[in-house]
Amino acid sequence: MTSKPRAPRSQRYNPASEDFHKEDFPFYWLNQVHGRYSVAVEKALKKVNLDIPRWRILFTLKEEGTCSVSQIAVHAIAKLPTVTKIIQRMKQDGLVDTRVRSDDGRVTEVMLTEKGINAVEDIRFITKDLFKQSFKGMTEAKIKRLNKLLEELFHNLPEHYS
Amino acid sequence: MTSKPRAPRSQRYNPASEDFHKEDFPFYWLNQVHGRYSVAVEKALKKVNLDIPRWRILFTLKEEGTCSVSQIAVHAIAKLPTVTKIIQRMKQDGLVDTRVRSDDGRVTEVMLTEKGINAVEDIRFITKDLFKQSFKGMTEAKIKRLNKLLEELFHNLPEHYS
DNA sequence: AATATTTACTTGAACATTCAATTAAAAATG
DNA sequence: CATTTTTAATTGAATGTTCAAGTAAATATT
């Protein structure tokens, strides 16, 4: 049995294709949004003497509670040596504290300090307008749809390996 | 005339709200997708001795043709001194060439070399599977919808800062 | 036309990230 | 139960990014 000829699918969103156009490629828009978003957040964070890596770790700890260094690396999507060094800086800044896990001497547990908790609140306040502006004119259904689509893309992408 | 009482809108996607859940926040998923995507692309690029910044500039030049350093900075969403130095490295690697614009001595024009053009082709080849996998199970309509939503978000975000 | 301002880019120093190697604790194996 | 392997994190060297300051060309102002 010969295979049925399929209707030719558009390849406009496929970078390997000849008729590729970046505007039809979701990762193009993803990068563009991520770029603008990062610049805007960076600018806001500078006001409270913070940056994106520190902010990501603060929010990871706020959402997940006390974490090991490698758990933070997974949630904040950063490399382990990078996280180690950011944590060292954040500890110097008094934003987090660390201790060795009692039942496993290899793991370093990281937790928010009072100052760290306050920083999270400060950030919420200074980024409020940005997020409000970002979703202007978008219904809740639309936001939900966007979340679902991004989540779908996320699960299609390879989980990071060692 | 008094304003009509509005139904209370959910604030689950608003980080400043008390009932915030990161899974309902599009930028959470955006970051997650961006993270996995970057790790995957990074890994693929390493095979041809390239990295994401170089790749972004290669594709900018491929899409836009000869560009000034600051045009590249805009398209690749990077800072000007960063681009200057990446271009210097790429020039050493033989991927691009530069010249001073004839009618304006301040601007540095950057263009792809033969080696740069070949690199673009190599990258297309080695990332083909990744992109195919990324959109697995997604119809063209879905991809289009995702593009539209991301584009909408993009236009809501502030263009630049001074 | 001389001077000031703006634009485009580059540079050096400070800072951040990454890779490869290392330490040290826990778990698995013979 | 000693030894190997695995896991968790850290460190130092190399590399990359960013800020602030500087150069130089183009444009604007007086």
Side-chain angles (χ1 to χ4, degrees):
Chain A
M1 178 184 173
T2 53
S3 60
K4 198 165 57 180
R6 281 181 303 167
R9 287 183 78 206
S10 163
Q11 290 290 296
R12 290 170 60 87
Y13 60 89
N14 176 2
S17 151
E18 272 315 307
D19 66 340
F20 170 73
H21 291 85
K22 64 181 196 304
E23 291 81 4
D24 299 312
F25 182 48
F27 289 117
Y28 169 76
W29 288 111
L30 189 101
N31 272 320
Q32 293 291 312
V33 173
H34 185 265
R36 277 199 182 176
Y37 167 73
S38 300
V39 167
V41 168
E42 217 165 43
K43 194 194 168 194
L45 290 175
K46 208 172 280 177
K47 288 176 195 161
V48 286
N49 209 33
L50 280 168
D51 54 24
I52 290 177
R54 270 172 255 246
W55 169 60
R56 302 246 282 211
I57 291 178
L58 286 175
F59 263 82
T60 298
L61 292 172
K62 202 260 164 190
E63 284 277 328
E64 307 291 328
T66 300
C67 279
S68 70
V69 175
S70 32
Q71 280 177 309
I72 293 173
V74 171
H75 282 107
I77 315 189
K79 270 133 197 168
L80 197 55
T82 312
V83 174
T84 294
K85 289 177 188 183
I86 300 171
I87 294 297
Q88 289 168 346
R89 283 179 248 142
M90 291 176 77
K91 201 178 171 182
Q92 290 208 318
D93 298 345
L95 294 166
V96 300
D97 209 351
T98 60
R99 66 165 172 240
V100 173
R101 182 173 292 169
S102 58
D103 64 341
D104 187 340
R106 296 167 303 177
V107 342
T108 304
E109 287 182 331
V110 186
M111 51 259 179
L112 287 178
T113 60
E114 197 64 33
K115 191 179 173 187
I117 294 165
N118 292 337
V120 172
E121 279 314 303
D122 292 348
I123 294 165
R124 280 200 206 223
F125 182 76
I126 57 167
T127 55
K128 210 170 56 184
D129 288 350
L130 172 65
F131 294 132
K132 199 180 162 193
Q133 175 63 32
S134 301
F135 305 125
K136 205 170 195 170
M138 294 178 84
T139 61
E140 216 176 303
K142 223 172 191 177
I143 292 172
K144 212 170 245 169
R145 216 169 336 128
L146 176 56
N147 281 332
K148 277 274 162 290
L149 287 165
L150 287 171
E151 194 180 346
E152 193 173 351
L153 204 52
F154 178 72
H155 291 302
N156 276 345
L157 284 162
E159 218 168 316
H160 52 294
Y161 19 69
S162 52
Chain B
M1 177 184 171
T2 53
S3 60
K4 199 166 58 180
R6 281 182 305 167
R9 287 185 78 208
S10 164
Q11 290 289 298
R12 291 170 59 86
Y13 60 89
N14 176 0
S17 152
E18 272 314 308
D19 67 337
F20 170 73
H21 291 84
K22 64 182 196 305
E23 291 80 5
D24 299 311
F25 182 49
F27 289 116
Y28 169 75
W29 287 111
L30 190 102
N31 273 320
Q32 293 290 311
V33 173
H34 186 265
R36 276 199 183 176
Y37 168 72
S38 301
V39 166
V41 169
E42 217 165 41
K43 194 193 169 196
L45 290 174
K46 207 172 283 177
K47 288 176 195 161
V48 286
N49 210 32
L50 281 168
D51 53 25
I52 289 175
R54 271 172 254 245
W55 170 59
R56 302 244 283 207
I57 291 177
L58 286 175
F59 263 81
T60 297
L61 292 172
K62 202 259 164 189
E63 284 278 325
E64 308 291 328
T66 299
C67 279
S68 72
V69 175
S70 32
Q71 281 177 309
I72 293 173
V74 171
H75 282 109
I77 315 189
K79 270 132 197 169
L80 197 56
T82 313
V83 175
T84 295
K85 289 178 187 183
I86 300 170
I87 295 297
Q88 289 168 346
R89 284 180 248 141
M90 290 176 78
K91 200 177 172 182
Q92 290 208 318
D93 297 345
L95 294 167
V96 299
D97 209 350
T98 61
R99 65 164 173 242
V100 174
R101 184 174 293 169
S102 57
D103 63 341
D104 187 338
R106 297 168 302 176
V107 342
T108 306
E109 288 182 330
V110 186
M111 52 258 180
L112 287 177
T113 60
E114 196 64 34
K115 192 179 172 187
I117 294 165
N118 292 337
V120 171
E121 279 313 304
D122 290 348
I123 294 165
R124 281 200 206 223
F125 183 75
I126 57 167
T127 55
K128 209 170 56 183
D129 287 349
L130 172 65
F131 295 131
K132 198 179 163 194
Q133 175 63 34
S134 301
F135 305 125
K136 205 168 195 171
M138 294 177 84
T139 61
E140 215 175 303
K142 222 172 191 176
I143 293 172
K144 213 171 244 168
R145 214 166 341 124
L146 176 56
N147 281 331
K148 278 273 161 292
L149 287 165
L150 287 171
E151 195 181 346
E152 194 173 350
L153 204 52
F154 177 73
H155 291 303
N156 276 344
L157 284 163
E159 204 168 325
H160 50 51
Y161 59 118
S162 52

